[in-house]
Amino acid sequence: MRKARHVKVLGWRWRSNPLRRHSDVVEAWIVLAAWTVATVGAVAAGVVGAQAVEHAVEQDRADRRPVSAVLVKTVPGSGRDVVTGIRYDRVRGTVHWTDVRDGKRTVRTGMVDVKPSAKPGSEVPAWTDGHGRLVSAPVTSVEASTRVVLAGSGAALATGLVVLGGGRLVRLRVQRRATERWGAEWERVGREWGHTTG
């Protein structure tokens, strides 16, 4: 016995055909609408997400100011992970720096990551925020670009998947209703023929 070949015809739901049901046309419109909205929505969400992250990164970079801090002492053993024993290329160190804001000079103390070879009394780079608190160094332009691209891509992908998933759910509902109507029609026709199904 020969195996029947299944040939997929593109756009069959749009073609005039006596076997085409109304639900087939509705499904075709749902698929078209879902893909259109998913594409446009994904692009819009990606652009908005990327711009939002880009603005946040630029604001964060603008708020950080470099200061020249003087290393007071390093914390022994802070360059090694307690659990795994892995050595890091940085250790924690106590530093002093002069904060100049509103014409007032204030000497502050804080903790930063420094190289293990740094000696007390040496100058080490540090960064402060708008309130004079120590913060980590701002992200580099490469890191900033990576964050922007990942945020835009993530927003686009999430939006597209949500829209396509919603379209799929609507399609399944249309298919279920069409199957129920088809079953009811067969029951009616069966009664007219004098036969019972099942």
Side-chain angles (χ1 to χ4, degrees), residues 35-154:
W35 276 99
T36 303
V37 171
T39 302
V40 172
V43 169
V47 169
V48 169
Q51 287 176 344
V53 170
E54 183 177 30
H55 177 72
V57 167
E58 286 174 1
Q59 185 67 39
D60 185 57
R61 290 176 77 180
D63 288 345
R64 294 174 191 241
R65 292 173 178 75
V67 294
S68 183
V70 177
L71 180 63
V72 177
K73 65 178 179 177
T74 57
V75 177
S78 61
R80 181 185 292 271
D81 188 306
V82 178
V83 177
T84 62
I86 297 173
R87 280 194 161 300
Y88 297 119
D89 62 344
R90 301 298 234 177
V91 294
R92 299 292 289 162
T94 304
V95 295
H96 289 306
W97 77 97
T98 303
D99 182 25
V100 181
R101 279 184 299 136
D102 301 327
K104 295 188 334 191
R105 296 170 65 86
T106 308
V107 176
R108 296 183 180 264
T109 304
M111 299 283 284
V112 296
D113 290 335
V114 296
K115 292 180 180 178
S117 59
K119 302 290 182 212
S122 62
E123 284 192 8
V124 293
W127 295 84
T128 60
D129 62 10
H131 304 288
R133 294 179 295 232
L134 284 176
V135 291
S136 60
V139 295
T140 65
S141 57
V142 172
E143 291 170 330
S145 298
T146 302
R147 288 183 185 186
V148 169
V149 168
L150 288 176
S153 301

Side-chain angles (χ1 to χ4, degrees), residues 151-192:
S153 301
L157 182 63
T159 302
L161 289 176
V162 166
V163 171
L164 290 176
R168 179 70 178 146
L169 290 175
V170 172
R171 254 183 87 199
L172 288 173
R173 186 177 175 99
V174 168
Q175 287 174 348
R176 185 169 19 138
R177 290 186 66 185
T179 302
E180 289 169 0
R181 274 192 241 121
W182 183 70
E185 187 69 20
W186 268 111
E187 251 183 66
R188 186 183 62 76
V189 170
R191 281 195 302 268
E192 288 176 5

Side-chain angles (χ1 to χ4, degrees), residues 13-36:
R13 286 184 170 100
W14 299 101
R15 294 181 182 176
S16 182
N17 183 332
L19 298 177
R20 184 184 70 183
R21 301 170 298 180
H22 175 69
S23 62
D24 295 330
V25 177
V26 171
E27 279 186 63
W29 280 107
I30 290 169
V31 169
L32 179 64
W35 276 99
T36 303

